[in-house]
Amino acid sequence: MILFLLAYLGGVLTIVSPCILPVLPFVFARAHRPFVRSGLPLLAGMAITFAAVATLAAVGGGWAVQANEYGRVAALTLLALFGVTLLFPWLSDRLTRPLVALGAHLSRSIDQGGGAQKPALLPSFLLGIATGLLWAPCAGPILGLILTGAALQGANVQTSLLLLAYAAGAATSLALALLVGGRVFARMKGSLGASEWVKRGLGAIVLVAVGSIALGLDTGFLTNASLASTTSIEQSLVDMLHPAPDALAIAHQPPAVVGGAASMKMSQNAHDGENLPVEGTLPSLSGAVQWLNSPPLTSQSLKGKVVLVDFWTYSCINCLRTLPYVRAWAEKYKDQGLVVIGVHSPEFAFEKNTNNVRQAIAKLKIDYPVAIDNNYAIWRAFNNEYWPADYFIDAEGHIRHHAFGEGDYQESERVIQELLRQAGQTNVPTGLVSVDGSGAEAAPDMSDIQSPETYIGYDRAQNFISPGGEIHDSLHTYMAAAPQLNEWALLGDWTVGGQQAVLDKGGGGITYRFHARDLNLVLGTPSGSKPIRFRVTIDGIAPGANHGTDDDADGQGVVTGQRLYQLVRQTGAISNRTFRIQFLDPGVQAYSFTFG
């Protein structure tokens, strides 16, 4: 219920967001008609269509987005004709082309379908459907939470209802505005006797709105040149109604709730391995699309074994920093009956490529079983929400403990020892492993991280400052900008998609102002392409001793595959620094920054 309330309130707040501006003309064009039979059906059609399209886009991938683009073209055509008939009523009597006739008929049906006092419901509803195809609300924390849950949990009734609640919230705000607008229109009509001129003015505004959407201004300029941002308000609502765990105990989570911050472990049942409660039963593992390092395992075949299920994904920095401990436990306790299972649940599309995962586990020296959970079937079976997430299962198949994120590894190991003793093992070691991760696996400096995980694709991007904002799914030349702390900018010819930005011409780059010991960047190359060369600078000079494992002291390196690249590891005092990476070759895919 809390999530539905959050979704509704997030929708209500869209009225003060600039991303609502492009659809306002279509809504207020009906302000002079009775609300129940004109405005209300329009808003209902808008809400239902947005919820349906957003659900399909979240769970269906690119084909749904492409299908919606055809819908946008049809909607733009329909609404342009609607605007023309408002602006030039005589045009509908003179032009006979089918599309114009359709627009004229639709406009007349709305105004005359049920008589002067009873406009027809269906045409208004159809206009609402067209408006819903065009509406692209700003992805603030609340909408980000809903869409991320939709992508991870798959198509279900709750996903659609949450999106519908969000759209209903927006419709509520618009309804109030429309009721006020209708009264203003009536007063203007009564005092000035100029109803036809008012309608023509609304028609002109509709056409301007159609033009702005067709030119991409609704998703580019308006999103970034914001007159009123609701992000802080939405985040306050999230924190109040759906509180996150303690700030120092946050795991890498699907974004929007906690922003994907670097994390310490969050353990909700700390018992030092004693008196562990039963939290549930090991669910089915049959949803894996493939198993690596092992034949398929089942909950039945694991009876009698103590099992550690580790949810991870190979480009997640929090997961990489946990791996040294998981590997050490798998090796230390395998002879006592511990079975470690890595469940690889992807965050980015390229992590669904099994060959990429196979190469990653070879490089990471993972030799325990790995279940490829591309459809999030095991993720959903555990009702999981985090990367990394560890679930500890006893020999009877009961979940006895869970731990989310990084840190506090001693408690987790004591839980393993206790469960092995309960399983009848008499020679369980009492000492604790000591690991020293290197490269990206090294423990973070949590005391001095002031920069959050930052996504580059427009679905979850924040603090982007290149002039003009991110242009969705189109080649655009981005100009240089000087970021403040935690701001970033693109430079050169890029095509920005939902998950990543792709460089179309060599010489382009990315600039980020950060505060942390380590800076990592998830990068990739097109399938079968040559390595892509890059050069890194920190505050305008080569990194020297502050270079990462994937570049040298001169800042030079190459992108050879789709993974996380560690590009900065500072050796001295931590302060605000300006990172810049320039790619000498085209084709690079940039996904997200993480810090440590």
Side-chain angles (χ1 to χ4, degrees), residues 366-384:
I366 295 174
D367 57 9
Y368 49 78
V370 174
I372 304 299
D373 189 31
N374 283 351
N375 298 323
Y376 306 100
I378 304 176
W379 177 287
R380 290 195 296 269
F382 274 83
N383 197 27
N384 185 50

Side-chain angles (χ1 to χ4, degrees), residues 237-483:
L237 284 172
V238 171
D239 294 339
M240 179 176 64
L241 297 175
H242 190 73
D246 181 77
L248 291 180
I250 296 173
H252 181 133
Q253 190 176 14
V257 177
V258 295
S263 65
M264 298 293 288
K265 175 181 278 188
M266 177 173 60
S267 177
Q268 298 180 3
N269 55 342
H271 298 280
D272 292 327
E274 299 178 357
N275 303 318
L276 297 169
V278 174
E279 300 181 355
T281 303
L282 175 63
S284 172
L285 303 175
S286 61
V289 300
Q290 191 173 344
W291 286 79
L292 303 179
N293 295 340
S294 168
L297 300 177
T298 66
S299 53
Q300 283 299 116
S301 67
L302 292 168
K303 283 290 182 67
K305 301 286 188 179
V306 174
V307 180
L308 167 58
V309 175
D310 175 54
F311 284 90
W312 72 298
T313 187
Y314 79 82
S315 74
C316 162
I317 186 61
N318 310 99
C319 302
L320 293 176
R321 293 193 294 236
T322 302
L323 275 178
Y325 291 90
V326 179
R327 286 196 306 259
W329 295 334
E331 177 63 27
K332 180 178 178 179
Y333 297 106
K334 64 181 180 182
D335 293 336
Q336 280 75 41
L338 176 68
V339 176
V340 174
I341 299 173
V343 178
H344 188 274
S345 300
E347 180 177 12
F348 297 114
F350 67 81
E351 292 174 311
K352 293 185 177 183
N353 186 318
T354 304
N355 287 332
N356 285 350
V357 181
R358 185 178 287 108
Q359 293 174 14
I361 65 175
K363 181 178 180 180
L364 296 168
K365 297 181 172 58
I366 295 174
D367 57 9
Y368 49 78
V370 174
I372 304 299
D373 189 31
N374 283 351
N375 298 323
Y376 306 100
I378 304 176
W379 177 287
R380 290 195 296 269
F382 274 83
N383 197 27
N384 185 50
E385 296 181 5
Y386 302 92
W387 294 283
D390 289 339
Y391 294 87
F392 300 81
I393 296 97
D394 66 19
E396 300 300 320
H398 299 128
I399 300 174
R400 302 290 298 280
H401 185 75
H402 64 269
F404 303 147
E406 304 175 55
D408 201 9
Y409 301 108
Q410 294 182 355
E411 181 190 352
S412 291
E413 187 169 1
R414 291 192 182 101
V415 169
I416 293 172
Q417 293 172 353
E418 174 63 20
L419 294 181
L420 288 172
R421 283 192 290 267
Q422 292 180 12
Q425 296 293 329
T426 59
N427 58 342
V428 179
T430 57
L432 301 174
V433 300
S434 177
V435 304
D436 186 16
S438 61
E441 296 182 9
D445 181 3
M446 293 300 298
S447 65
D448 208 4
I449 296 179
Q450 298 181 22
S451 293
E453 181 170 12
T454 302
Y455 293 89
I456 294 174
Y458 59 74
D459 282 347
R460 293 178 266 177
Q462 292 184 342
N463 300 326
F464 179 71
I465 63 163
S466 289
E470 284 186 306
I471 306 302
H472 296 192
D473 302 310
S474 297
L475 173 62
H476 182 72
T477 301
Y478 293 89
M479 306 304 292

Side-chain angles (χ1 to χ4, degrees), residues 2-50:
I2 290 178
L3 283 180
F4 285 101
L5 178 59
L6 274 174
Y8 180 80
L9 293 175
V12 169
L13 289 172
T14 60
I15 194 66
V16 294
S17 165
C19 297
I20 201 69
L21 295 179
V23 303
L24 288 180
F26 312 128
V27 175
F28 283 109
R30 312 312 310 149
H32 63 295
R33 308 303 303 166
F35 175 75
V36 173
R37 298 187 63 85
S38 181
L40 186 59
L42 182 145
L43 294 175
M46 173 182 166
I48 292 171
T49 303
F50 167 75

Side-chain angles (χ1 to χ4, degrees), residues 16-218:
V16 294
S17 165
C19 297
I20 201 69
L21 295 179
V23 303
L24 288 180
F26 312 128
V27 175
F28 283 109
R30 312 312 310 149
H32 63 295
R33 308 303 303 166
F35 175 75
V36 173
R37 298 187 63 85
S38 181
L40 186 59
L42 182 145
L43 294 175
M46 173 182 166
I48 292 171
T49 303
F50 167 75
V53 171
T55 300
L56 288 174
V59 301
W63 67 269
V65 176
Q66 185 176 12
N68 187 49
E69 284 303 312
Y70 295 118
R72 283 173 64 88
V73 172
L76 284 171
T77 302
L78 179 63
L79 290 169
L81 293 170
F82 171 58
V84 167
T85 58
L86 285 174
L87 187 61
F88 304 110
W90 54 268
L91 195 60
S92 62
D93 298 327
R94 297 191 178 186
L95 299 179
T96 58
R97 286 179 292 183
L99 287 177
V100 175
L102 174 62
H105 175 71
L106 180 60
S107 181
R108 286 197 303 270
S109 296
I110 294 174
D111 290 332
Q112 303 171 4
Q117 300 302 319
K118 294 185 177 181
L121 295 171
L122 181 59
S124 291
F125 184 72
L126 292 176
L127 273 181
I129 290 176
T131 305
L133 288 169
L134 301 178
W135 183 37
C138 300
I142 292 176
L143 184 58
L145 169 63
I146 298 170
L147 293 177
T148 299
L152 293 178
Q153 300 300 327
N156 56 59
V157 174
Q158 180 174 332
T159 289
S160 297
L161 291 179
L162 282 170
L163 288 165
L164 189 58
Y166 184 91
T172 300
S173 292
L174 289 172
L176 294 174
L178 187 56
L179 288 170
V180 173
R183 293 174 183 174
V184 172
F185 185 95
R187 291 181 180 178
M188 292 177 63
K189 180 179 178 180
S191 61
L192 301 177
S195 63
E196 286 301 318
W197 286 107
V198 172
K199 288 176 64 176
R200 290 179 181 180
L202 288 172
I205 295 173
V206 166
L207 292 176
V208 170
V210 169
S212 70
I213 293 174
L215 294 173
L217 298 181
D218 60 320

